[in-house]
């Protein structure tokens, strides 16, 4: 194996992320495993990153790339808030993410899902996969683990779910992805954003995570 091939394998990373609109807001979820090739480098990484008080993003791809992009977007939106005195919209956050991901698509390995709540459109989810395209969706998934669970999503996702329904849906979907994808695992992180106070994060570990597989 060539030296360059070894380096590329060591830098390969994977994950399972999801964000959904529900009745009253948005819910984000992710596993917590960060891997480098065949090695697990972090079992409890938090892939749900705060951008503003009511906007978060799910990160997949290179941990370094996505952390850097999230910091840059957070800085831009904080500057905008200081200038205008108003909270940035979710669409604005998605547009800044898209611009960065598209303009630097040759250098970055970054798949981002932007989700949040604002007073203009309520709960929103924007999917920005590798390459920098941006699409608003009711439910978006990313990461290698998502390839195993599109059938589950199609069969079980429904619009206007309650908060409890959407949390159960995300928990089972991520548990299934983690059972099939070797690069996904650890604990399940879920974040609820509904504009009724600060975002609420929940962590599911051990027996709290449904078991799938033979």
């Amino acid at each position: 194996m060539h030296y360059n091939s070894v380096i590329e394998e060591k830098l390969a990373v994977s994950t399972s992320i999801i964000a959904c609109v529900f009745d009253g807001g948005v819910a984000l979820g992710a596993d917590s495993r960060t891997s480098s090739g065949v090695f697990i480098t972090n079992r409890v990484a938090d892939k749900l990153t705060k951008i503003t008080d009511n906007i978060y993003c799910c990160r997949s791809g290179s941990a370094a790339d996505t952390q850097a992009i999230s910091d840059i977007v957070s800085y831009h939106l904080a500057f905008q808030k200081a200038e205008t005195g108003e909270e940035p919209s979710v669409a604005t956050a998605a547009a800044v993410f898209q611009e960065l991901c598209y303009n630097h698509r040759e250098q970055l390995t970054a798949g981002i899902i932007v989700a949040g709540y604002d007073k203009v459109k309520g709960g929103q989810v924007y999917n920005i996969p590798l390459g920098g395209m941006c699409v608003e969706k009711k439910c978006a998934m990313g990461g290698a683990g998502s390839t195993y669970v599109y059938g589950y999503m199609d069969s079980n996702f429904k619009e206007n779910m309650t908060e409890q329904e959407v949390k159960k849906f995300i928990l089972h979907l991520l548990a299934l992805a983690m059972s099939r994808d070797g690069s996904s695992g650890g604990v399940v992180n879920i974040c609820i954003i509904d504009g009724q106070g600060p975002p609420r994060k929940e962590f599911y570990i051990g027996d709290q995570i449904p078991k799938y597989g033979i």
Side-chain angles (χ1 to χ4, degrees), residues 141-160:
M141 293 194 300
S146 66
T147 60
Y148 297 92
V149 291
Y150 275 102
Y152 183 92
M153 182 188 72
D154 291 341
S155 298
N156 292 277
F157 174 76
K158 58 183 180 181
E159 294 189 28
N160 300 317

Side-chain angles (χ1 to χ4, degrees), residues 44-61:
V44 288
D46 188 356
K47 303 171 186 177
L48 307 181
T49 301
K50 178 181 176 180
I51 305 301
T52 72
D53 289 341
N54 285 309
I55 303 172
Y56 273 62
C57 74
C58 307
R59 300 181 292 109
S60 67

Side-chain angles (χ1 to χ4, degrees), residues 14-16 33 143-146 148 176-185:
S14 183
T15 190
S16 297
R33 177 176 293 175
S146 66
Y148 297 92
L176 181 58
M178 290 159 60
S179 72
R180 296 297 183 186
D181 177 36
S183 296
S184 299

Side-chain angles (χ1 to χ4, degrees), residues 52-133:
T52 72
D53 289 341
N54 285 309
I55 303 172
Y56 273 62
C57 74
C58 307
R59 300 181 292 109
S60 67
S62 164
D65 290 351
T66 56
Q67 287 170 359
I69 294 170
S70 299
D71 288 344
I72 294 169
V73 174
S74 181
Y75 171 81
H76 277 285
L77 297 184
F79 191 80
Q80 176 184 325
K81 180 180 178 180
E83 282 191 319
T84 64
E86 297 183 356
E87 289 289 340
S89 68
V90 185
T92 298
V96 179
F97 267 109
Q98 181 192 21
E99 181 179 9
L100 288 169
C101 291
Y102 179 79
N103 289 342
H104 304 283
R105 60 192 181 279
E106 300 296 334
Q107 294 82 35
L108 298 175
T109 303
I112 303 289
I113 300 175
V114 181
Y117 185 95
D118 61 46
K119 61 183 180 181
V120 178
K121 294 180 62 177
Q124 300 149 72
V125 171
Y126 296 88
N127 191 24
I128 307 170
L130 296 176
M133 178 181 70

Side-chain angles (χ1 to χ4, degrees), residues 18-29 48 53-58 90 113-118 121-126 136-140 157 160-164 166-167 170 190-201:
I18 181 172
C20 301
V21 176
F22 70 94
D23 185 17
V26 294
L28 303 83
L48 307 181
D53 289 341
N54 285 309
I55 303 172
Y56 273 62
C57 74
C58 307
V90 185
I113 300 175
V114 181
Y117 185 95
D118 61 46
K121 294 180 62 177
Q124 300 149 72
V125 171
Y126 296 88
E136 184 177 4
K137 306 185 76 173
K138 295 293 185 181
C139 186
F157 174 76
N160 300 317
M161 285 190 282
T162 66
E163 180 178 329
Q164 292 303 316
V166 77
K167 287 193 292 188
I170 289 176
I190 295 178
C191 181
I192 302 295
I193 308 174
D194 58 10
Q196 307 299 315
R200 304 183 297 278
K201 276 193 171 184

